[in-house]
Amino acid sequence: MILNRYICVKQKGKPKAPNPSTLRAGSFCEQMIECHDITFRYPGAEAPLFDGLDVAIGTPGFHALFGPSGAGKTSLARIISGDIDGFAGRVKTAGDMPCLYTFNRERLPGWSPVGRHLEKTSPPGRQPLRDELIDHFGLSELMGLRYSQLSMGQCNRVNLLRYLLQDFSLLIMDESLANVDEPTRQTILYKIKSLFPEAGFLYISHNVMEVSQFCDQIIVVRGAHKSPQTARICGQDHRVDRPLDNTALERTMLEIMNAA
Amino acid sequence: MILNRYICVKQKGKPKAPNPSTLRAGSFCEQMIECHDITFRYPGAEAPLFDGLDVAIGTPGFHALFGPSGAGKTSLARIISGDIDGFAGRVKTAGDMPCLYTFNRERLPGWSPVGRHLEKTSPPGRQPLRDELIDHFGLSELMGLRYSQLSMGQCNRVNLLRYLLQDFSLLIMDESLANVDEPTRQTILYKIKSLFPEAGFLYISHNVMEVSQFCDQIIVVRGAHKSPQTARICGQDHRVDRPLDNTALERTMLEIMNAA
Amino acid sequence: GDVMANEKVAYRLKWLINASTAGDVYALGQGLFSEQGLDVAVKAGGPERDAIRELELGYAQFGVASADQVIRALAKGASVVVLAQLFQINPLQWIYRADDFSLAGVQDLAGKTVGITYGGNDETIMRALLATAGLDERQVRLAGVRYDYTPFFLKKITVWPVYRNTQGIFLSDKLAAGGERVAFFDPSEYGIRFVANSVVTSQRMLDEHPQTVARFIRALLAGWQAAMAPASEAAAIRWVGEHDRDTSPAVMRRQLAVTRRMVRPDPAIPVGRIDRAAWQQTEQIMLRQRLIPGPVNVIDRLRPQPSH
Amino acid sequence: MLHRRIFQFFIVYLSGIGLLFGIKLVLNLSDYVIPGPVGVWQTAQTEFYRYMGDVLDTFAVAVIGQMLSILMALGVGVAGRRATWFGSFIKVAAYNVQAYPIVAIAPILFILLGDGFLTRLFIAAMICYFPLLLSVIGIMSEPVADIEHFYRVTGRLRWQLEVKIRAFENLHKLTTVVSGSATLAMAGTIVAEFIAANAGIGYSIRIALYQSDLSKILVALFTIGITLSLYQGALELAGAGVKKAWATG
Amino acid sequence: MLHRRIFQFFIVYLSGIGLLFGIKLVLNLSDYVIPGPVGVWQTAQTEFYRYMGDVLDTFAVAVIGQMLSILMALGVGVAGRRATWFGSFIKVAAYNVQAYPIVAIAPILFILLGDGFLTRLFIAAMICYFPLLLSVIGIMSEPVADIEHFYRVTGRLRWQLEVKIRAFENLHKLTTVVSGSATLAMAGTIVAEFIAANAGIGYSIRIALYQSDLSKILVALFTIGITLSLYQGALELAGAGVKKAWATG
Ligand SMILES: Nc1ncnc2c1ncn2[C@@H]1O[C@H](COP(=O)(O)OP(=O)(O)OP(=O)(O)O)[C@@H](O)[C@H]1O
Ligand SMILES: Nc1ncnc2c1ncn2[C@@H]1O[C@H](COP(=O)(O)OP(=O)(O)OP(=O)(O)O)[C@@H](O)[C@H]1O
Ligand SMILES: Cc1ncc(C[n+]2csc(CCO)c2C)c(N)n1
Ligand SMILES: [Mg+2]
Ligand SMILES: [Mg+2]
């Protein structure tokens, strides 16, 4: 199978991570995300969700977390972002700035209109960026509305937008655009990739085509009963100004579907 | 443009609905969904969301509501299901049984495990159906879990499942499977179509391919500023046991994308 | 000669303003205090108030307290002195329905349910009474009571403590309206001379402002003397009525009549006379009932009556 | 709206007084135990206006006391919302202070505050604040994760914002308990007047009690009830207004 | 957990008493106005066990009263949660009854219930139920749309279910207010004993007040406080247990 060429998993019990002392010293070229030998069981759950799971993504860029519903994408994301603790193993992310996690059920405060909320939550000096994002996210006409007046996809977009205005080294987007229409979603993804070339993104989505097309590395979470528990696939990492190789895209999609 | 061939809208001010008296008498072959001259403005909103909108779907089957985020799909769905009132115009749905509306943010009660909840909410005699659906929805292993222990997609599936067990003539599914992975989603859609051939479904989704492939009629909501406000496209209405005509599918997708 | 312009002092009463405080409000209303150069704030009392505490805290310069309060305070080191004794006869008595039985002696209490306020001076008085007759709690059923007369109305308690000059009047009116007659059981008839309301101040006040004290007591006793004179009844009713809006003048007139008998039982005795023997007896009773740990020599705290 | 409340109050009041008259009839009690309708009516005619004045006096104190207690409850609730040592200490303190019946600490209050307006206000606020506190602590100690997440991960969740979010999300519960606490403020002020004042309807009730005049008490209860029903209605309207203003203004 | 509460209670109590002693020192007050440490200690030695017995007596009534009031609050809250005529009527009735200060209706209670256990229980429940009611009404009248939708559209939303959903979703608030209401039940019972009974710590406090004996009151407050802190702690543990059991059991 072609699949094997693309899986770059670390087998449990065979750590391939660099020497920890080197890591600590900081001289080693840091991995963007590095999870090593993660074991985690939800309190009250029978079986562990992750058992010696390893994940590594080397460089910044637009990456994805993919996998069937219930496989553990959200859980892994929250472990990486530090939202969940109580797991065994080691997690590291690169960069001086925080790793932020955003998900599609977030709500905005109800007392102020969207525009004011965005103003109040953007760090100084980001007004141009904010205006640009509002425009490209198709939100210009909603700035006077409140949370309760937004449609689901509108709320998702505003939510993602406010995170993009923050300082981060890594932004994990948990189905952040799941309720947005495809054209808008594409515009948004292209825009993010062109505006934040230095940052790391981890995009959780159930859309295999989208993930294949836009993402650089795709971590497929396969569930605890499969071994290895994750697979890494290389995506097309497409940008708006480049041609898209449709055959390669389809191959990536196939690989992902096989791995999942 | 090919588009025009497929748009079967009713122009505002030119009602093409059958004579009301005939309708009332019930002798006329009922439309599955019929919205006539709907005008609706959210309280506090500046402009009306719908202004003389017409929608008609003739027969039961698996239909879709499609359109950009914020176009008014949710609003129209809630008007059809009777969840929103305060609109002008006429709405009718066929059938003796209720029209149910379900959306993807619904939560399950937290005090009982999913299995017990499904047992308690399914009408008598539906146990076989329930078991079959649980199996095909990939939920068998979750019956002992509670709401707070479900992943997003798992919760969405359980939620949709409990609606399918109810009595309904028309079920409107507002992004009900938006957080479910593609293979599971396809299995679910095929299953629904084969198990409920007599019922009407209105499926809201942002996935143009899925909508084109699975749905019979696709109502595209285009926003208040466009005229006509909706377009109706015929989809492939694909079933698991039939061949899928890929060219036709692509044409449908194109039509939808043009209409939106 | 030494009249100063409007020296401000506060005077804390023991109870709400009613016929029992006629002299106090009379002195105020008729301007007797201001004639003495005093600007007196006469403040109503109540069960949660304590004039002696207020003297020490400086919230009041003069007050009204019953003898048991004075003795308790002395036992705990308060430096209080008694300037005048307003009631020569303690108005605390027990009311009962005359048609049901009659109480001609302490012995007759046997078998009755007698109301007392636990912790109050009526408890002390009743216990002293019972002791004089050699009765104990097995023979007389003591029952705790409060301001709510319902148990008496419902005959659950048949002998009920009242202030004869105020509550005694309207209770007999109420029962009379229901066709019932009442009678009173008066401890002083059986040798119990437990002292009631007296005027007190602090030793420091007396030491530092003797003139003010003298002028205050002069005006106050003049007020009481005048208020108790039948001729000034109308004025007394007027000044009391200004505060006590819930009692009709007719009832007040009868309340005043009884009050008069207790403040001036004998025209020969000046208003405000301190009955030293009664004070001594009060201390003895309290000692015997172990309400104070040891003698306080209250006699030493009684200031000779100023002449006026 | 308001006239519905008044109507409902009349039903409540008349049922209560009807019950009393019923008991009187059945047990054949004399007028000094339970007054008859005629006696109550006569008393109403002579005392109603005076009592209405007293009630308004009480009412003014109650309104100030209510505001004070809302502030106290917010302060203590916000300080005690966390499950930390300090939070639990604040709660222990607040709960203990409340458990001591006002009647027991009245002498101490007199020592500390004298016997003026302040004491009255303080007692009213003490009686009113605790129920508010319980609600506020319940609301303030429960995170609204979907909204707070953003602020927390971006380091913006200062306590003011946390309080604002939780208050907004529980606005309905807060307005219910705040407008309901008017009742407590009124009861508290009356108790305070009963113990410590020489004005207000509480004081009048005390005198009526000392005189064993149930007619007067029944009339006083009527004036209290009608005033309160009106205030209650007004507060609920105001609460609805606040909700609307904050959600859309 | 519990011993932390006791420790915190000691801090609160000792600060309070320290403040009093401080005032005594600064103003040079006699033992009559504020007793000295020695006097309080002696009183504690002679009265502690008796008062502890009284407090336990009071406590027993308070616990029953609290249960009663929880039931009453749930009943009235559920009945009054809707914005209908009946709902608003229930509220008007409940609010009015609360506004009438217990002291004023004590005579009526006496006629109806006598001066024993029942009156004590009733007053305790009355004082305790209202704050509970406010919370319950606030919670019960606010829909939980995301969960109720399914039941509503499928015609299954009977009131029991509605109440269950709203209670479950607000379990934290409910347990906070229920466990906090223990304090109110205790205060209520003490007030009841103060105004209408012949047993319990409230009655002992009343006697101490008549005797102007602040030492006794301070000892009584100590016994009340320590009992309550323990009960409070126990209730909070129980609340946490309920939450856990309902959410996972
Ligand atoms: N309560 C409301 N008050 C005012 N405006 C509202 C309200 N709810 C929705 N709207 C507006 O109505 C429009 C349609 O909203 P609706 O939720 O129907 O969109 P939708 O097509 O379902 O979008 P999505 O795909 O993002 O869910 C949006 O522009 C939204 O801003
Ligand atoms: N709080 C919890 N307690 C116990 N089990 C949990 C809890 N949360 C999630 N799980 C379980 O952990 C597994 C992974 O959940 P997770 O939410 O990470 O999945 P996911 O990959 O994000 O799925 P989806 O695509 O549906 O969002 C699921 O099977 C779920 O049942
Ligand atoms: C003499 C007396 N003191 C206090 C209260 C009332 N009270 C004590 S705690 C509390 C708050 C909760 O309702 C209330 C009202 C009363 N009724 N009577
Ligand atoms: Mg997830
Ligand atoms: Mg929608």
Side-chain angles (χ1 to χ4, degrees), chain C residues 253-265:
Chain C
R253 185 168 301 118
R254 287 162 47 228
Q255 289 179 331
L256 272 177
V258 179
T259 306
R260 211 175 281 136
R261 289 206 319 259
M262 299 176 155
V263 173
R264 284 207 94 163

Side-chain angles (χ1 to χ4, degrees), chain C residues 227-272:
Chain C
M228 290 301 103
S232 1
E233 189 176 64
I237 287 176
R238 179 181 156 216
W239 295 122
V240 174
E242 211 150 80
H243 298 91
D244 180 3
R245 289 176 302 171
D246 290 78
T247 309
S248 71
V251 170
M252 224 180 269
R253 185 168 301 118
R254 287 162 47 228
Q255 289 179 331
L256 272 177
V258 179
T259 306
R260 211 175 281 136
R261 289 206 319 259
M262 299 176 155
V263 173
R264 284 207 94 163
D266 179 352
I269 303 175
V271 168

Side-chain angles (χ1 to χ4, degrees), chain D residues 130-153:
Chain D
F130 192 71
L132 283 169
L133 173 66
L134 289 183
S135 285
V136 171
I137 280 201
I139 286 169
M140 287 303 159
S141 60
E142 197 172 12
V144 184
D146 292 352
I147 298 181
E148 289 171 18
H149 176 83
F150 169 76
Y151 292 105
R152 205 181 50 251
V153 299

Side-chain angles (χ1 to χ4, degrees), chain D:
Chain D
M1 183 69 200
L2 272 191
H3 89 289
R4 181 167 87 173
R5 285 203 161 265
I6 296 177
F7 178 62
Q8 289 170 334
F9 164 69
F10 268 92
I11 298 184
V12 173
Y13 184 79
L14 292 178
S15 331
I17 214 169
L19 178 73
L20 272 187
F21 291 152
I23 292 172
K24 177 181 168 73
L25 253 178
V26 170
L27 301 184
N28 193 21
L29 299 173
S30 27
D31 281 352
Y32 57 71
V33 184
I34 297 178
V38 179
V40 175
W41 179 243
Q42 281 169 350
T43 310
Q45 286 179 309
T46 56
E47 308 295 350
F48 181 75
Y49 289 103
R50 183 160 68 93
Y51 279 2
M52 208 63 218
D54 289 342
V55 166
L56 292 182
D57 181 357
T58 302
F59 180 65
V61 181
V63 172
I64 305 175
Q66 194 189 356
M67 290 176 188
L68 252 182
S69 51
I70 292 173
L71 292 181
M72 275 164 59
L74 278 180
V76 178
V78 166
R81 77 188 186 287
R82 298 205 175 282
T84 57
W85 193 94
F86 179 70
S88 99
F89 177 70
I90 289 280
K91 275 198 284 189
V92 167
Y95 284 31
N96 263 289
V97 167
Q98 157 66 21
Y100 300 154
I102 290 296
V103 281
I105 51 175
I108 301 175
L109 288 182
F110 290 135
I111 292 174
L112 298 176
L113 301 176
D115 74 331
F117 175 75
L118 259 189
T119 312
R120 213 168 138 195
L121 190 64
F122 183 81
I123 294 178
M126 287 305 294
I127 286 181
C128 180
Y129 104 107
F130 192 71
L132 283 169
L133 173 66
L134 289 183
S135 285
V136 171
I137 280 201
I139 286 169
M140 287 303 159
S141 60
E142 197 172 12
V144 184
D146 292 352
I147 298 181
E148 289 171 18
H149 176 83
F150 169 76
Y151 292 105
R152 205 181 50 251
V153 299
T154 60
R156 282 201 180 79
L157 195 60
R158 282 178 306 139
W159 70 265
Q160 296 94 328
L161 187 60
E162 191 174 288
V163 166
K164 191 172 177 184
I165 291 171
R166 295 179 188 179
F168 187 86
E169 289 298 306
N170 292 283
L171 207 48
H172 171 75
K173 285 164 202 128
L174 281 178
T175 55
T176 302
V177 76
V178 163
S179 79
S181 75
T183 315
L184 288 167
M186 197 75 183
T189 311
I190 295 173
V191 169
E193 289 166 347
F194 200 92
I195 303 172
N198 43 25
I201 193 71
Y203 179 68
S204 297
I205 287 180
R206 161 168 238 176
I207 292 176
L209 273 181
Y210 286 151
Q211 298 190 343
S212 201
D213 198 337
L214 205 54
S215 320
K216 282 188 181 165
I217 291 180
L218 292 176
V219 174
L221 293 186
F222 179 84
T223 55
I224 295 172
I226 194 99
T227 309
L228 206 85
S229 299
L230 289 173
Y231 184 43
Q232 198 68 49
L235 276 181
E236 277 172 19
L237 283 181
V242 166
K243 268 185 274 189
K244 215 174 142 184
W246 208 7
T248 68

Side-chain angles (χ1 to χ4, degrees), chain E residues 1-14:
Chain E
M1 182 69 198
L2 272 191
H3 90 288
R4 181 167 87 175
R5 285 205 159 264
I6 296 177
F7 179 62
Q8 289 171 333
F9 163 69
F10 269 91
I11 299 183
V12 173
Y13 184 79
L14 292 179

